């Protein structure tokens, strides 16, 4: 069976700086895959390369065996890959509902699908329903993250890529977010997750990749990675 | 305001606009005609600046493209005015894309400088090309006619402008609530996030420039036949700024606000004529005060959602403050 997403020998540059030095990675349908590593390892660049925001200088990104290299970001979204960027990037000046409507932008004329998606989001996060007419900027950090995830789900992605969903959130909220990610996966969405919080991520994920300075240095089942204390200490800290 | 009262207000306003020529003298009719030009121009710029959030300091260039296209086609090639309109619009749309393309990757200040440069290029081309009549411009542009009736009088042009202004307002309003309008709003709020959610950033931005250009050129074409002579002076940098002023003064992205802004930008200096030399000083001071106390514009886009009933002036002032807070939060989120 071809994997949902295959990355082969990707090199990406920011100007002259080589941020990715040959990345190989696979995500199978139904999985949660964690991409771990310290700051500057190239995790976010990997996601940006997949979503077309950064163009790789060589290598290939395949969705169901079809190459996505050279596609514009909006075409990649329509192909079924959604990138929830780091720092949430919700629209502070728009209401919660308007934020969600944006997520359904690629659904074109299917208003019913958008309404249904919003209902699903509210079912997942009842707190968003209470605040549906409130400005996005007035939500707490955790609520903004929930909104960002829901906005991503509105496009009904095959692959949802989350860039540090736990960033800057209280531990109890992190647990809540992680549970929701598991629930989203159970409902059938494949997830590629970037996390600094390695332990939390490995508890959630099926498999994990560890990155260091633009390379993948380790790949294994999540529980194997989690059980090996030396790995966690050496590459991920804590 | 609830929807039905809003409708009544719009109908009343239109009725007043329709009978205005019979209630005022020629001088005020001329001011009103000019104000209608500004309503069209400001609505066109509203698409670019208000909806899509692309600061444009050279908008008068599109006004010029419309005016010169009509002027040249009517004087040199003896076209009918009505036939020049689609040509001017297509031209303006092309110029819009030409101006838009290099600015796609630019933001705020840089974008402003590039558009400023393009505005100047168009003006200087008009001064130096022979086909545009160089510095003296084009004169003797014939009056347009419908059937056998020649539109020559002030009242005729007032009504022509009124029709075009109403069409522009309706078109921009419909655009604003469409799927395209929503895409512009998302790009304005956060371009990267919009792109990550599947919006075709490049097409949407070019579309905003082109639609803005088409509306601006329409005003230009009518301007050419109304004035019957056009010169580069009419399309100066100050003109671009005055149009932008109308948009900001009224409220970025707000349809009624921008109409109000356009009328004020034209009417205020006229109303202040009694104080002669002081009038632009007072006008300027009013603008400064306005930006301090009501930075979101006189009639902001979210007017009806944010506030239920009428509130006192002090509360209005504090609302300006809370608007700033939201903006700060916005910056924090994006940091």
């Amino acid at each position: 069976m071809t994997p949902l997403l295959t990355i082969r020998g990707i090199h990406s540059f920011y100007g002259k700086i080589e941020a990715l030095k040959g990345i190989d990675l696979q995500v199978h349908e139904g999985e949660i895959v964690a991409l771990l590593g310290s700051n500057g390892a190239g995790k976010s660049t990997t996601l940006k390369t997949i979503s077309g925001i950064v163009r790789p200088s060589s290598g290939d990104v395949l969705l169901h065996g079809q190459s996505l290299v050279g596609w514009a970001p909006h075409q990649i979204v329509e192909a079924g890959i959604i990138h929830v960027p780091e720092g949430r990037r919700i629209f502070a000046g728009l209401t919660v509902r308007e934020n969600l409507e944006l997520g359904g932008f690629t659904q074109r004329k299917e208003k019913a699908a958008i309404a249904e998606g919003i209902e699903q989001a509210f079912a997942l996060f009842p707190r968003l329903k209470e605040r549906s007419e409130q400005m996005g900027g007035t939500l707490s950090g955790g609520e903004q993250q929930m909104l960002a995830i829901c906005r991503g789900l509105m496009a009904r992605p095959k692959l949802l890529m989350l860039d540090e969903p736990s960033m800057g959130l209280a531990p109890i909220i992190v647990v809540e977010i992680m549970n929701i990610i598991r629930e989203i996966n159970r409902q059938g969405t494949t997830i590629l997750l970037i996390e600094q919080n390695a332990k939390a991520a490995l508890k959630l994920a099926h498999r994990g990749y560890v990155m260091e300075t633009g390379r993948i240095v380790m790949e294994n089942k999540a529980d194997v990675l989690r059980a090996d204390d030396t790995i966690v200490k050496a590459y991920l800290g804590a | 305001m609830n929807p039905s009262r809003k409708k009544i207000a719009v109908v009343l306003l239109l009725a007043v606009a329709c009978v205005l020529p019979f209630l005022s003298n020629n001088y005020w009719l001329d001011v009103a005609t000019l104000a209608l030009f500004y309503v069209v121009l400001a609505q066109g710029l509203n698409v670019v600046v208000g909806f899509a959030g692309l600061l444009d300091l050279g908008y008068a260039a599109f006004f010029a493209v419309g005016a010169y296209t009509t002027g040249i086609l009517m004087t040199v090639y003896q076209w009918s005015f009505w036939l020049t309109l689609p040509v001017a619009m297509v031209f303006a749309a092309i110029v819009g894309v030409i101006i838009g393309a290099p600015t796609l990757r630019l933001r705020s200040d840089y974008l402003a400088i590039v558009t400023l440069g393009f505005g100047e290029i168009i003006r200087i081309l008009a001064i130096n090309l022979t086909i545009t009549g160089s510095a003296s411009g084009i004169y003797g542009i014939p009056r347009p006619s419908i059937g056998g009736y020649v539109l020559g009088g002030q009242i005729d042009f007032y009504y022509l402008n009124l029709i075009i202004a109403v069409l522009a307002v309706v078109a921009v309003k419909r655009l604003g609530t469409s799927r395209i309008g929503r895409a512009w709003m998302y790009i304005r709020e956060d371009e990267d996030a919009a792109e990550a959610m599947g919006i075709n950033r490049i097409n949407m931005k070019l579309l905003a420039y082109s639609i803005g250009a088409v509306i601006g050129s329409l005003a230009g074409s009518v301007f050419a036949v109304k004035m019957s002579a056009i010169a580069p002076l009419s399309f100066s940098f100050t003109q671009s700024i005055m149009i932008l002023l109308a948009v900001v003064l009224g409220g970025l992205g707000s349809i009624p606000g921008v109409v109000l802004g356009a009328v004020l930008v034209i009417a205020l200096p006229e109303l202040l004529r009694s104080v002669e030399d002081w009038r632009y000083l007072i006008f300027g001071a009013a603008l400064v005060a306005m930006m301090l106390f009501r930075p979101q514009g006189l009639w902001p886009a979210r007017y009806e959602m944010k506030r239920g009933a009428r509130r006192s002036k002090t509360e209005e002032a504090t609302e300006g403050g809370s608007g700033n807070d939201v903006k700060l939060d916005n910056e924090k989120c994006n940091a």
Side-chain angles (χ1 to χ4, degrees):
Chain A
M1 193 183 100
T2 44
L4 180 64
L5 181 81
T6 309
I7 297 180
R8 252 190 243 136
I10 283 286
H11 292 257
S12 288
F13 289 80
Y14 289 118
K16 282 189 177 161
I17 299 162
E18 190 173 14
L20 299 182
K21 301 165 184 166
I23 299 284
D24 292 284
L25 185 152
Q26 289 189 338
V27 181
H28 295 275
E29 214 150 306
E31 273 188 321
I32 301 180
V33 173
L35 194 53
L36 309 168
S38 53
N39 289 331
K43 307 182 299 288
S44 294
T45 310
T46 306
L47 289 205
K48 282 182 191 165
T49 307
I50 298 170
S51 60
I53 296 170
V54 172
R55 287 208 173 173
S57 60
S58 65
D60 215 349
V61 178
L62 305 160
L63 181 71
H64 281 311
Q66 189 188 12
S67 177
L68 300 180
V69 171
W71 288 31
H74 70 97
Q75 292 170 316
I76 293 176
V77 170
E78 283 184 36
I81 299 181
I82 282 280
H83 179 183
V84 178
E86 194 175 359
R88 311 188 269 268
R89 306 297 283 260
I90 58 143
F91 298 99
L94 304 179
T95 65
V96 169
R97 187 177 289 276
E98 284 170 327
N99 267 280
L100 290 174
E101 280 169 355
L102 163 67
F105 195 78
T106 52
Q107 300 286 313
R108 303 253 170 215
K109 302 230 150 82
E110 295 170 47
K111 281 191 181 147
I114 293 178
E116 196 183 310
I118 291 177
E119 279 317 308
Q120 278 174 0
F122 288 161
L124 220 47
F125 297 106
R127 236 180 308 170
L128 290 181
K129 184 170 189 169
E130 291 162 28
R131 304 184 178 196
S132 61
E133 302 307 323
Q134 217 170 300
M135 293 289 150
T138 64
L139 299 180
S140 75
E143 288 161 350
Q144 290 189 9
Q145 185 62 58
M146 294 173 192
L147 178 56
I149 294 175
C150 286
R151 190 178 67 183
L153 283 175
M154 289 290 296
R156 298 166 187 261
K158 293 176 190 142
L159 175 66
L160 182 67
M161 304 194 295
L162 302 171
D163 195 342
E164 290 214 37
S166 73
M167 192 171 79
L169 300 180
I172 189 157
I173 308 286
V174 174
V175 172
E176 198 180 328
I177 297 268
M178 293 294 169
N179 286 336
I180 291 288
I181 293 172
R182 184 175 291 132
E183 180 56 35
I184 290 167
N185 177 251
R186 199 171 294 154
Q187 289 176 9
T189 308
T190 309
I191 289 170
L192 178 58
L193 174 71
I194 285 187
E195 260 306 327
Q196 295 268 359
N197 189 340
K199 281 206 173 138
L202 287 174
K203 249 185 245 166
L204 186 68
H206 303 109
R207 289 190 305 119
Y209 288 86
V210 180
M211 287 186 76
E212 197 184 41
T213 58
R215 287 194 178 84
I216 286 180
V217 289
M218 202 165 295
E219 175 207 341
N220 217 322
K221 288 216 165 92
D223 36 2
V224 177
L225 289 176
R226 192 155 48 107
D228 192 339
D229 258 1
T230 56
I231 294 170
V232 173
K233 274 199 183 115
Y235 294 109
L236 309 166
Chain B
M1 264 192 289
N2 61 43
S4 66
R5 276 175 65 186
K6 209 164 139 189
K7 252 183 205 156
I8 293 170
V10 170
V11 169
L12 270 180
L13 196 68
L14 268 179
V16 170
C18 285
V19 297
L20 191 72
F22 309 103
L23 303 173
S24 72
N25 55 23
N26 277 348
Y27 167 69
W28 281 106
L29 189 59
D30 215 36
V31 172
T33 310
L34 193 60
L36 286 173
F37 269 122
Y38 259 68
V39 169
V40 179
L41 288 169
Q43 288 298 355
L45 187 60
N46 191 26
V47 170
V48 183
V49 184
F51 287 172
L54 306 162
L55 185 56
D56 186 345
L57 295 183
Y59 189 70
F62 302 131
F63 189 38
V65 168
Y68 275 103
T69 310
T70 293
I72 292 168
L73 287 176
M74 288 182 79
T75 54
V76 182
Y77 301 100
Q78 275 84 43
W79 282 39
S80 140
F81 169 68
W82 309 105
L83 284 178
T84 70
L85 286 181
V87 179
M89 286 180 182
V90 169
F91 247 46
I94 294 168
V95 174
V97 171
I98 292 173
I99 292 181
T103 63
L104 286 172
R105 299 213 163 267
L106 301 176
R107 287 172 199 199
S108 59
D109 331 16
Y110 309 102
L111 181 63
I113 290 169
V114 171
T115 54
L116 175 69
F118 269 109
E120 286 302 284
I121 287 172
I122 298 277
R123 189 177 64 89
I124 289 177
L125 277 178
I127 292 177
N128 288 294
L129 291 177
T130 26
I131 192 157
T132 55
S134 59
S136 54
I138 296 173
Y139 39 87
I141 301 167
R143 300 292 191 187
S145 57
I146 304 172
Y149 181 71
V150 178
L151 297 173
Q154 252 182 332
I155 290 184
D156 300 335
F157 280 107
Y158 174 82
Y159 281 118
L160 180 60
N161 268 357
L162 185 62
I163 291 166
I164 287 174
V166 169
L167 285 178
V169 167
V170 171
V172 172
K173 180 157 180 64
R174 295 205 55 134
L175 270 173
T177 53
S178 70
R179 192 178 132 86
I180 295 169
R182 281 195 296 135
W184 285 333
M185 176 170 76
Y186 297 131
I187 289 176
R188 182 188 68 208
E189 296 286 320
D190 185 335
E191 205 175 317
D192 297 326
E195 191 171 30
M197 290 297 125
I199 286 173
N200 189 338
R201 186 177 60 92
I202 291 177
N203 283 2
M204 284 301 163
K205 279 179 148 186
L206 288 180
L207 194 63
Y209 273 114
S210 303
I211 290 177
V214 166
I215 296 174
S217 80
L218 187 61
S221 296
V222 179
F223 183 77
V225 288
K226 182 194 182 270
M227 294 303 175
S228 87
I230 47 174
L233 201 66
S234 306
F235 313 106
S236 61
F237 177 57
T238 324
Q239 184 76 269
S240 295
I241 294 300
M242 292 300 272
I243 303 166
L244 184 63
L245 189 62
V247 177
V248 177
L249 187 70
L252 286 163
S254 154
I255 310 278
V258 167
V259 172
L260 181 66
V263 171
L264 281 181
V265 161
I266 297 302
L268 263 189
E270 298 303 326
L271 286 170
L272 290 170
R273 254 183 211 283
S274 56
V275 286
E276 306 209 334
D277 293 349
W278 291 86
R279 67 191 183 116
Y280 274 102
L281 183 72
I282 294 173
F283 184 55
L287 292 179
V288 172
M290 155 82 210
M291 284 302 112
L292 284 176
F293 295 111
R294 222 173 150 71
Q296 72 275 46
L298 288 171
W299 193 328
R302 300 246 168 174
Y303 190 82
E304 284 149 47
M305 285 173 74
K306 271 189 188 162
R307 46 184 57 232
R310 247 188 289 157
R311 289 197 227 156
S312 70
K313 268 193 180 155
T314 45
E315 272 172 310
E316 262 174 34
T318 49
E319 202 196 338
S322 69
N324 282 342
D325 288 347
V326 172
K327 225 178 233 165
L328 267 182
D329 284 343
N330 193 356
E331 276 157 23
K332 269 190 245 158
C333 292
N334 291 342

